[in-house]
Amino acid sequence: MAMSDAQGSPPQLAELELGTLDCVHCGLCLSHCPTYRVTGRETSSPRGRVYLMRGVAEGRIPLGAAVAEEASLCLGCRACETACPSGVQFGSLLEQTRAAVSDAGLRSGLAARLERLALRQLVPRGLRLHVFVAALAWVQRLRLDRLALLLLPPRFREIHALLPPVPPVSQRRPLPRSFPARGEPRGRVALFEGCLMPELFGAVNRATAEVLSQQGFEVVVPAGQGCCGALQAHSGDLEFAKGLARSNVAALAPAIEGDAIDAVVVNSAGCGAVLRELDHWLGDEALPLAGRVRDVCEFLDEVGLRGPLEPLPLRVAYDDPCHLVHAQGVQEAPRRLLEAIPGLEIVSHEDPSACCGAAGTYNLTQPEMSRAVLTAKMDALASVAPDVIASGNPGCLMQLRAGAAERGLGARVLHPIQLLAQSLAR
Amino acid sequence: MAPALEDELRQVVGSSHVLSRPEELLVYEADGLTHHSATPRAVVLPADKTEVVQIVKRCRAHGVPFVPRGAGTGLSGGALALDGGVVIECARMNRILRIDPEDRIAVVQPGVVNADLSKRVAPHGLFYAPDPSSQQACTLGGNVAENSGGPHTLKYGTTTNHVLALELVLPDGKLVQLGSATGMTVGYDLVGAVVGSEGTLGVVTEATMRLSPIPERVETLLGIFGEVVSACRAVGRMIRSGLVPAALEIVDRRTIEAVEASVYAAGLPTDAGAVLIVEVDGPAPAVARQVERVREHCVAEGADQVQVARDEAERQRFWRARKGAFGAMGRLAPDLYVHDAVVPRRKLPEILESICEIGDRHGLRLSNVFHAGDGNLHPNISFDRRDADEMARVLAAGEEILRTCVEAGGVISGEHGIGTEKRDFMGLLYSEADLEAMKKLRAAFDPTLVCNPGKLFPTTRFCVEANPKARGYDQVPLG
Ligand SMILES: Cc1cc2nc3c(=O)[nH]c(=O)nc-3n(C[C@H](O)[C@H](O)[C@H](O)COP(=O)(O)OP(=O)(O)OC[C@H]3O[C@@H](n4cnc5c(N)ncnc54)[C@H](O)[C@@H]3O)c2cc1C
Ligand code: SF4
Ligand code: SF4
């Protein structure tokens, strides 16, 4: 075994092996996997990755560089789960593998350390993040970013292309702690704000709260909630992610207690996927929260929209966020809501449920593959020439926005709830 | 491996398209049949035919055997590299080069996924008829090599009825064209020889496929039966009456239970003994009449209920359930041995009973999902290859099943091929002289036996790499 090779801890490996035994090697997942489609390599396919994991768990191959590379090249999009007849829990296997890779010290480069620093010390720290984004806004306003770009290595240029212009201060003000139910009251919900959403997509959070309130739901925005931990878990920092999850369980507990709310509404697919499966991390204590999580489109579709809806004469391409369609199984609800808007036409592009390549921090850690995957997505979107590209996840919104800008597509990139808000507000 | 060959391959295809680390090679040790395995020396992923020619020439120069591979969904160990060979993985050669709606043909590279071809030609009102259950993953190159079938083989035939011309890199590196896009063969029918040759005659680098017009009307029915045998009898009745359904598939209770627990659930009744999926297609008025006849035949054989798919979405769900069946069996145990044998249709009921008896006697979990219209059985045995005792019983039962089918006048493979899995059973079917004739054909293409050696013919020379974790049993002794 080479120096860098290691093995995970025995209990870790036993759990991993158990999960891999679900795979019967049928291969039906192959062509659903974006990284397999780009490379043609079995090693970069779901079946191959499960085989690698099983190989590690059974001690046939070391937990070394080859396995670490594949764990990192995987988008974590979970399209393989939607395709798998055998019920392989790929998302969970990947999370365990990444944690083992990380514990074995196989992610130790400068980039990995910077990523961990940012994901631990910046993203989940509300105030710090707020100050950072405010500083970023100034940098962008003074065009210092362009100057910095000349000095930084090319990799940072990709990051820069992705960063949306920081929205004006008015959109970054904290949400009120509650919104009243308007019209005939229909219930009460808690809104999960997320960490990046308030800073970069404040308008989406506001639209979410306003639509719910307009639809007759009292909306509470519990204090003390924060980052969901998805990005940290995806990067192999599972224990830290669980810590964040615990504080969210605590922050939302008062709202949930005594059945005072109908749902915890989430508008970021990535956060929703984590919160919905929180019992995988924390066990039964997380069930009261996990069981109430609803994506905003799913929730509105379930309760039924209360009109009237004003026409929006737009051609909209709806692109499924992986963590909504594959991780939460929500596919038709957003389409049904959008179709309810008079004048709005959903134009169907090829493979709407294929990953766009954003995948959390993937576009930063695997820029080449991310670009290849995004190119396929933009080809599909460009061919239907939409006015609007709609998708319900902040990472996808950033990625699709960057892709559309680079292609020179005139399309606006919006969260579906923003279209609904527009149609309801008229 | 000799580093020189590896380096040469890197020069041909670029270094990111050659895999040679042990972890990477591990992943290529098996196809869809997990209890046979062999580790290749290297895996190389060419982008086009010129690269394939170069790869083949370099391997030959180094005296290293090679094996073409598609998606590795094969179920007979066909794509394993025995004797430390090089895997030539065709997945990157996945372009549809030409679609000609008037001639109803498509020219494809071998790595095109079967389902993608039908998807791409649908706007022209056409489809590619052979539809293996693995169609969302398997490649046309693999289909050609295995002469794959599928549920619609009953009416449309197997792959061989849909390949008009092939471009092949011979095992000595020469590029040849076989057949013609018109479908008219002048001289020997070498396309016919290559289809079903299991990668032993060369590497297919282009194929001209026949497309079929999408029928005006398609209806899919579900006959729900208390017993598998009554479903079989309904199949016999329909065929005797002169009906030619597009597909006649039987799914037994165990399989229904597994599928209904999966993402491919279609609302099949989990308390039924079996469901018979019948598809009829053609001009609308004829289809309407056929639906009624199918219904009558099912009822006459005691069907509890006959449903017609209400819409296209439900029809698709039925087929997804049928085609996801193999994978869904993974819910029962880590491994599945999908058997494949053909028996005369009229003997289906009795043979099914014998097969179930064999499974029970060996204490195995056996289920059946099969192309009933063709008499093509797929007894599936769920097992765990880590359990040596169970593995031995699985193999013993498998052999008994094959013998039973041959004794009933059947053959040892309907569509999954011989590969490494059944090479030693070829003697059940063919005499020495028969096999000699086939070997001569093979030698004409590949005199030095470098292209996918160790497959198809009974042999004692090759051995599958020893690795108790991956392998269920010692393949064949070295001799
Ligand atoms: C879930 C499931 C369902 C299945 N259902 C069916 C079914 O309904 N009907 C059916 O017939 N089969 C079925 N199969 C078996 C399998 O899918 C077929 O044999 C398929 O044709 C294999 O294609 P592949 O691309 O995966 O080929 P591989 O497994 O990669 O290779 C199969 C053989 O083809 C050769 N080969 C591959 N590419 C080339 C090439 N370019 N040139 C020359 N030789 C080549 C290989 O050497 C090997 O011998 C099923 C398999 C699974 C896992
Ligand atoms: S999560 Fe996505 S990228 Fe990873 S193996 Fe599954 S389908 Fe492929
Ligand atoms: S579809 Fe599921 S069972 Fe089949 S190979 Fe992929 S992960 Fe394994």
Side-chain angles (χ1 to χ4, degrees):
Chain A
M1 232 183 258
M3 279 286 288
S4 64
D5 292 344
Q7 286 298 347
S9 70
Q12 227 175 10
L13 295 185
E15 194 188 338
L16 189 62
E17 177 175 22
L18 201 64
T20 63
L21 293 182
D22 288 334
C23 175
V24 68
H25 224 248
C26 70
L28 293 188
C29 51
L30 290 177
S31 61
H32 298 265
C33 172
T35 57
Y36 174 75
R37 286 214 93 135
V38 169
T39 62
R41 291 193 302 248
E42 174 82 15
T43 42
S44 305
S45 78
R47 182 174 68 171
R49 289 183 175 123
V50 173
Y51 215 74
L52 286 175
M53 294 171 192
R54 183 167 174 179
V56 168
E58 291 181 338
R60 298 183 64 200
I61 50 170
L63 180 58
V67 175
E69 282 163 26
E70 276 313 329
S72 153
L73 191 66
C74 171
L75 289 147
C77 69
R78 297 169 68 176
C80 45
E81 280 185 43
T82 304
C84 176
S86 189
V88 170
Q89 302 287 304
F90 191 88
S92 155
L93 289 174
L94 179 66
E95 211 168 77
Q96 294 170 43
T97 306
R98 285 184 173 168
V101 162
S102 179
D103 292 353
L106 292 164
R107 292 185 89 248
S108 50
L110 179 64
R113 265 182 286 153
L114 274 178
E115 185 191 358
R116 174 150 299 191
L117 190 71
L119 290 180
R120 282 193 173 188
Q121 301 298 340
L122 182 61
V123 172
R125 303 291 193 96
L127 188 60
R128 278 187 205 168
L129 185 64
H130 189 70
V131 172
F132 178 83
V133 173
L136 182 67
W138 276 105
V139 167
Q140 286 181 342
R141 186 166 310 166
L142 297 175
R143 304 196 161 239
L144 290 175
D145 48 341
R146 280 152 209 254
L147 183 67
L149 270 186
L150 297 177
L151 308 172
L152 289 169
R155 164 168 238 210
F156 288 85
R157 279 176 220 155
E158 300 264 350
I159 303 183
H160 176 263
L162 275 170
L163 276 177
V166 173
V169 187
S170 62
Q171 290 184 15
R172 287 166 43 231
R173 273 200 299 268
L175 285 184
R177 285 289 145 221
S178 73
F179 293 75
R182 281 192 269 147
E184 178 86 15
R186 299 166 79 188
R188 187 162 181 264
V189 297
L191 178 66
F192 185 80
E193 283 184 289
C195 54
L196 285 171
M197 291 296 293
E199 296 300 335
L200 296 179
F201 294 95
V204 174
N205 272 357
R206 205 164 285 271
T208 306
E210 274 162 9
V211 167
L212 288 165
S213 139
Q214 191 270 353
Q215 288 289 306
F217 292 91
E218 183 190 345
V219 181
V220 294
V221 187
Q225 53 166 309
C227 177
C228 70
L231 295 179
Q232 293 81 357
H234 296 166
S235 75
D237 203 358
L238 192 51
E239 287 312 311
F240 188 81
K242 288 182 184 172
L244 294 174
R246 276 192 204 95
S247 22
N248 279 323
V249 169
L252 289 158
I256 290 172
E257 242 156 53
D259 252 352
I261 55 162
D262 304 321
V264 175
V265 174
V266 185
N267 57 19
S268 146
C271 308
V274 161
L275 296 174
R276 228 176 180 137
E277 296 177 342
L278 221 47
D279 51 315
H280 295 188
W281 288 358
L282 306 181
D284 290 354
E285 70 170 288
L287 278 178
L289 169 56
R292 282 177 177 77
V293 173
R294 291 289 178 281
D295 177 73
V296 61
C297 289
E298 180 191 19
F299 181 76
L300 289 171
D301 181 56
E302 260 168 37
V303 297
L305 275 187
R306 197 163 72 178
L309 289 155
E310 295 302 319
L312 292 181
L314 293 171
R315 289 164 48 80
V316 177
Y318 175 77
D319 201 57
D320 297 271
C322 296
H323 285 183
L324 194 57
V325 61
H326 301 305
Q328 302 187 57
V330 177
Q331 184 164 26
E332 295 308 325
R335 293 182 167 84
R336 271 198 293 267
L337 290 183
L338 291 176
E339 267 162 3
I341 300 176
L344 187 151
E345 181 197 353
I346 296 203
V347 289
S348 44
H349 59 294
E350 207 172 325
D351 278 343
S353 61
C355 188
C356 66
T361 53
Y362 190 89
N363 40 21
L364 312 183
T365 54
Q366 295 284 354
E368 262 176 53
M369 181 61 75
S370 175
R371 176 153 291 277
V373 173
L374 177 63
T375 301
K377 177 61 73 187
M378 293 326 295
D379 288 346
L381 286 167
S383 72
V384 294
D387 302 318
V388 172
I389 300 169
S391 194
N393 187 55
C396 308
L397 290 173
M398 287 197 259
Q399 174 93 340
L400 293 169
R401 204 171 271 179
E406 195 186 62
R407 271 297 164 103
L409 293 188
R412 284 186 298 156
V413 180
L414 298 172
H415 193 296
I417 197 72
Q418 291 176 290
L419 290 169
L420 269 184
Q422 219 179 322
S423 165
L424 287 164
R426 288 223 179 144
Chain B
M1 82 183 290
L5 171 57
E6 193 185 29
D7 290 344
E8 286 176 25
L9 293 177
R10 293 211 158 91
Q11 273 167 15
V12 174
V13 297
S15 51
S16 60
H17 304 303
V18 177
L19 308 178
S20 59
R21 288 184 284 183
E23 294 93 328
E24 295 165 333
L25 300 180
L26 178 87
V27 163
Y28 284 89
E29 73 177 3
D31 59 8
L33 179 86
T34 47
H35 59 281
H36 284 239
S37 74
T39 311
R41 287 165 107 108
V43 178
V44 51
L45 295 100
D48 57 33
K49 59 182 141 189
T50 55
E51 292 186 358
V52 175
V53 168
Q54 286 306 316
I55 293 165
V56 166
K57 286 187 173 162
R58 309 288 159 116
C59 286
R60 268 186 80 88
H62 286 262
V64 172
F66 50 87
V67 48
R69 186 184 195 267
T73 67
L75 291 172
S76 52
L80 306 198
L82 303 186
D83 252 16
V86 167
V87 169
I88 304 178
E89 166 63 83
C90 300
R92 285 176 67 218
M93 296 170 63
N94 61 357
R95 288 182 22 237
I96 297 174
L97 302 171
R98 194 159 71 82
I99 296 169
D100 188 328
E102 200 172 315
D103 287 344
R104 289 195 189 140
I105 56 166
V107 181
V108 301
Q109 289 186 323
V112 170
V113 170
N114 174 302
D116 287 353
L117 179 56
S118 282
K119 197 159 117 190
R120 274 284 302 282
V121 300
H124 302 288
L126 298 170
F127 76 116
Y128 176 67
D131 60 337
S133 301
S134 52
Q135 72 184 133
Q136 54 172 305
C138 66
T139 66
L140 292 169
N143 293 172
V144 167
E146 298 287 4
N147 188 19
S148 300
H152 291 83
T153 294
L154 180 61
K155 177 165 178 179
Y156 293 93
T158 58
T159 304
T160 195
N161 304 112
H162 302 267
V163 186
L164 301 172
L166 290 173
E167 180 186 77
L168 188 72
V169 176
L170 292 173
D172 65 2
K174 281 200 200 73
L175 192 69
V176 295
Q177 310 290 336
L178 311 176
S180 102
T182 62
M184 299 304 162
T185 302
V186 178
Y188 294 124
D189 177 12
L190 294 183
V191 171
V194 171
V195 176
S197 65
E198 305 195 12
T200 60
L201 302 184
V203 184
V204 173
T205 48
E206 243 175 64
T208 304
M209 313 305 262
R210 184 200 301 278
L211 303 172
S212 308
I214 297 176
E216 185 192 340
R217 183 84 176 268
V218 184
E219 293 285 1
T220 306
L221 293 92
L222 279 194
I224 297 160
F225 289 86
E227 301 285 340
V228 173
V229 286
S230 13
C232 289
R233 278 196 286 269
V235 168
R237 239 188 125 90
M238 280 179 224
I239 306 258
R240 271 199 313 277
S241 79
L243 261 178
V244 187
L248 275 171
E249 301 279 308
I250 292 181
V251 188
D252 76 356
R253 177 197 297 239
R254 271 215 186 111
T255 312
I256 297 173
E257 280 170 4
V259 171
E260 286 302 314
S262 82
V263 289
Y264 291 69
L268 305 183
T270 47
D271 55 351
V275 299
L276 169 62
I277 304 177
V278 188
E279 188 155 286
V280 286
D281 66 9
V287 168
R289 279 196 303 277
Q290 289 182 35
V291 166
E292 281 325 302
R293 287 174 66 194
V294 168
R295 196 193 293 276
E296 284 160 22
H297 290 304
C298 288
V299 171
E301 289 298 346
D304 298 326
Q305 211 189 325
V306 182
Q307 297 174 11
V308 184
R310 272 165 303 200
D311 50 25
E312 183 58 21
E314 187 167 68
R315 210 176 73 73
Q316 293 299 341
R317 273 200 300 281
F318 289 166
W319 280 117
R320 277 167 52 83
R322 161 64 187 89
K323 295 187 172 181
F326 165 10
M329 298 308 289
R331 297 174 170 266
L332 299 190
D335 297 284
L336 185 74
Y337 192 172
V338 183
H339 279 277
D340 172 34
V342 185
V343 299
R345 230 171 357 232
R346 75 198 135 81
K347 295 200 174 161
L348 273 178
E350 62 185 273
I351 298 223
L352 268 179
E353 269 173 42
S354 316
I355 288 174
C356 293
E357 185 275 323
I358 294 171
D360 289 346
R361 184 154 37 77
H362 288 276
L364 295 168
R365 286 163 290 181
L366 188 145
S367 56
N368 284 289
V369 46
F370 55 101
H371 312 305
D374 296 313
N376 187 352
L377 287 168
H378 290 319
N380 294 331
I381 305 181
S382 302
F383 69 104
D384 186 340
R385 65 181 185 260
R386 298 169 305 168
D387 177 344
D389 176 64
E390 190 176 35
M391 186 76 243
R393 283 180 285 128
V394 167
L395 294 171
E399 184 166 347
E400 265 188 63
I401 289 174
L402 280 188
R403 285 181 189 280
T404 308
C405 293
V406 172
E407 274 159 25
V411 295
I412 60 175
S413 169
E415 52 182 23
H416 297 167
I418 301 302
T420 56
E421 180 208 5
K422 289 178 177 161
R423 57 190 179 181
D424 293 316
F425 298 114
M426 283 290 266
L428 287 181
L429 213 57
Y430 294 114
S431 70
E432 270 304 315
D434 299 342
L435 288 170
E436 258 330 292
M438 285 196 231
K439 281 185 184 165
K440 282 197 181 124
L441 174 74
R442 199 241 161 111
F445 281 80
D446 183 19
T448 53
L449 303 185
V450 286
C451 189
N452 204 5
K455 310 288 168 66
L456 210 51
F457 297 104
T459 172
T460 51
R461 198 170 65 79
F462 293 93
C463 125
V464 171
E465 278 212 357
N467 201 319
K469 283 279 167 54
R471 237 177 21 135
Y473 68 113
D474 267 318
Q475 254 262 321
V476 170
L478 266 182

